[in-house]
Amino acid sequence: MGDLFPQILRDEAVARLLELGKVSDASEYLERTFLSPATTRAIDLIRKWMEDAGLRTWVDQMGNVHGRVEGANANTEALLIGSHMDTVIDAGKFDGALGIVSAISALKVMHVNGKLQNLRRPVEVIAFCDEEGVRFQTTFLGSGAIAGILSATTLEIPDKKNVTIKDVLKENSIEATEESLLKLKYDPKSVWGYVELHIEQGPVLEQVGFPLGVVKGIAGQTRLKVTVKGSQGHAGTVPMLMRQDPMVAAAEQIVLMESLCKHPEEYLSSEGYCSGPSIKSLSSSLVCTVGEISTWPSASNVTYTVDIRAIDDLGREAVIYDLSNRIYQICDKRSVSCLIEHKHDAGAVICDSELSSQLKSAAYSALKRMEGDIQDEVPILMSGAGHDAMAMSRLTK
């Protein structure tokens, strides 16, 4: 592979990422949503690249693009490699696309070297149709269908224009039914494992000076919507002791949340919610942020959203329980009312230890070829972002 590294694994892969990054439904920024015109163009492009790598290709009943080589043992379990081709609005060009293009490039090198048919097991690259959930506010449409966790009722979910997923599929000449959805599910016995390469979307690797890391797991996630209701009061005529300002209560709650999530050991251990190992795990993986905050009408109601992520599900639940109690306490103290709504919950996913060990070894070998002698271990990271691997974990390691 060494001689082809600059030509295919670097130059051509980068050129393809840049080309795919220009395939957009918007003229000023990158945007591709579920089966939009830009996504249809991206499907054609990705399929062409797969065929160039010697792969048999097809597009399934959900709009996922597949490229497969059977190798020397067509009847054994397949290795699946993939990522998503959809984007958020004003996306980064490497998000999702990196995992698709890199997998195709690696197989193209084997194809050029005449080794593609010598693979010990089938290898299938999948460009998933929709991971981000931008248009229909439901994630993992593509990988969820293949993993068999997508309900048939999902097909009836509408977008803001009241167009359903089923309608969009029909516009693209795909008749989606409960039966066709069931047929998309892969037999777990036919799959050996799933690997996804993804840009980190964070600062850790850059800070430690490593281009590669291995993920030990994907954080579980909870989204809360907090509404604080108070009373409007004249700025000059309502005394301080009689004011019921929801914005001040919300501000205190947000600062408390930041403190709790930076130092969970100072809060949870004293209340007995968590054991020592859970608190240690939380201290290294817990992230809590406020995504949106709004006041309506005027200053009588304040609403804000909270995003809580951690690799330890029990620890995350303890944080939510403790945080909720402290939010209500602040509301009582300030004579305002509170409502906490759970909008989303997803459990953490722990990566397969054997597969992770193999990936760590491969990353170390790649680093040695690029950097020469290296003294440090390949970084082991938690992924705070969700990926198609979360859905695929329901199918295989």
Side-chain angles (χ1 to χ4, degrees):
M1 283 193 182
D3 295 340
L4 293 170
F5 169 76
Q7 179 187 345
I8 295 175
L9 291 178
R10 188 188 68 192
D11 297 347
E12 184 177 82
V14 169
R16 286 177 170 180
L17 286 164
L18 296 176
E19 185 177 357
L20 193 56
K22 295 176 182 176
V23 181
S24 175
D25 288 304
S27 57
E28 300 299 321
Y29 51 84
L30 176 56
E31 178 187 358
R32 284 193 303 270
T33 56
F34 180 64
L35 288 183
S36 67
T39 300
T40 302
R41 298 198 301 275
I43 287 172
D44 293 339
L45 197 57
I46 291 166
R47 194 169 182 179
K48 182 181 76 172
W49 292 339
M50 287 177 169
E51 290 168 354
D52 177 57
L55 308 181
R56 175 175 62 88
T57 69
W58 69 96
V59 179
D60 67 27
Q61 293 296 103
M62 189 55 75
N64 299 310
V65 188
H66 302 251
R68 184 178 173 106
V69 57
E70 301 299 342
N73 300 290
N75 294 323
T76 195
E77 303 97 334
L79 168 64
L80 308 181
I81 311 173
S83 200
H84 60 98
M85 60 181 161
D86 68 315
T87 76
V88 295
I89 297 170
D90 199 12
K93 64 174 70 73
F94 303 115
D95 186 1
L98 181 66
I100 299 166
V101 170
S102 297
I104 294 171
S105 296
L107 290 172
K108 181 176 178 179
V109 168
M110 300 194 77
H111 179 52
V112 172
N113 283 338
K115 297 179 179 179
L116 195 60
Q117 300 305 323
N118 298 335
L119 287 166
R120 287 180 291 176
R121 64 177 68 255
V123 176
E124 187 173 319
V125 180
I126 308 176
F128 294 113
C129 63
D130 187 292
E131 181 252 27
E132 302 286 7
V134 171
R135 182 170 181 181
F136 294 97
Q137 300 298 298
T138 179
T139 56
F140 307 137
L141 286 180
S143 52
I146 287 172
I149 61 172
L150 199 69
S151 167
T153 57
T154 306
L155 296 172
E156 305 298 335
I157 294 176
D159 63 11
K160 292 179 180 178
K161 296 181 179 178
N162 214 34
V163 178
T164 66
I165 293 172
K166 190 174 184 178
D167 294 334
V168 175
L169 287 165
K170 192 169 185 178
E171 289 169 9
N172 286 269
S173 302
I174 299 173
E175 288 293 334
T177 61
E178 184 174 359
E179 186 180 355
S180 68
L181 201 59
L182 288 172
K183 287 181 179 178
L184 286 178
K185 182 184 185 301
Y186 277 37
D187 181 353
K189 294 178 182 177
S190 71
V191 181
W192 179 80
Y194 173 77
V195 173
E196 181 167 0
L197 177 67
H198 206 282
I199 193 165
E200 185 196 352
Q201 298 175 285
V204 178
L205 290 178
E206 185 175 4
Q207 188 176 59
V208 299
F210 269 77
L212 295 171
V214 177
V215 169
K216 65 181 178 181
I218 302 174
Q221 180 185 22
T222 297
R223 292 179 193 160
L224 306 175
K225 179 182 177 182
V226 182
T227 302
V228 185
K229 295 184 177 183
S231 296
Q232 289 177 272
H234 191 284
T237 61
V238 180
M240 290 303 294
L241 292 178
M242 297 177 68
R243 302 194 74 85
Q244 293 176 285
D245 294 336
M247 180 62 81
V248 184
E252 184 177 350
Q253 292 163 3
I254 292 167
V255 171
L256 167 77
M257 179 202 72
E258 181 189 49
S259 180
L260 189 160
C261 293
K262 278 185 175 179
H263 309 287
E265 70 283 356
E266 296 179 9
Y267 291 81
L268 302 184
S269 57
S270 63
E271 299 293 338
Y273 294 141
C274 262
S275 63
S278 284
I279 289 178
K280 185 177 180 182
S281 172
L282 276 175
S283 297
S284 62
S285 74
L286 180 62
V287 176
C288 309
T289 56
V290 170
E292 298 177 4
I293 185 165
S294 61
T295 60
W296 185 91
S298 186
S300 61
N301 283 3
V302 174
T303 300
Y304 63 92
T305 60
V306 178
D307 192 320
I308 300 172
R309 305 189 189 201
I311 201 73
D312 182 331
D313 284 339
L314 288 176
R316 177 169 49 88
E317 289 170 10
V319 168
I320 294 163
Y321 182 79
D322 188 62
L323 177 63
S324 298
N325 284 341
R326 293 177 189 273
I327 285 174
Y328 285 125
Q329 287 169 11
I330 290 170
C331 286
D332 289 342
K333 180 182 72 175
R334 292 185 172 274
S335 299
V336 295
S337 65
C338 280
L339 174 65
I340 302 174
E341 300 172 83
H342 282 243
K343 290 297 185 181
H344 174 74
D345 271 296
V349 171
I350 305 301
C351 296
D352 178 76
S353 57
E354 180 189 354
L355 194 50
S356 294
S357 178
Q358 291 176 318
L359 288 170
K360 185 178 178 181
S361 176
Y364 185 81
S365 298
L367 285 169
K368 281 192 72 173
R369 285 200 302 273
M370 289 189 286
E371 308 286 347
D373 287 335
I374 54 172
Q375 304 300 320
D376 297 321
E377 289 281 314
V378 173
I380 305 297
L381 309 177
M382 178 205 76
S383 175
H387 302 291
D388 286 299
M390 295 186 84
M392 296 298 282
S393 72
R394 305 286 289 273
L395 175 71
T396 185
K397 61 184 178 183

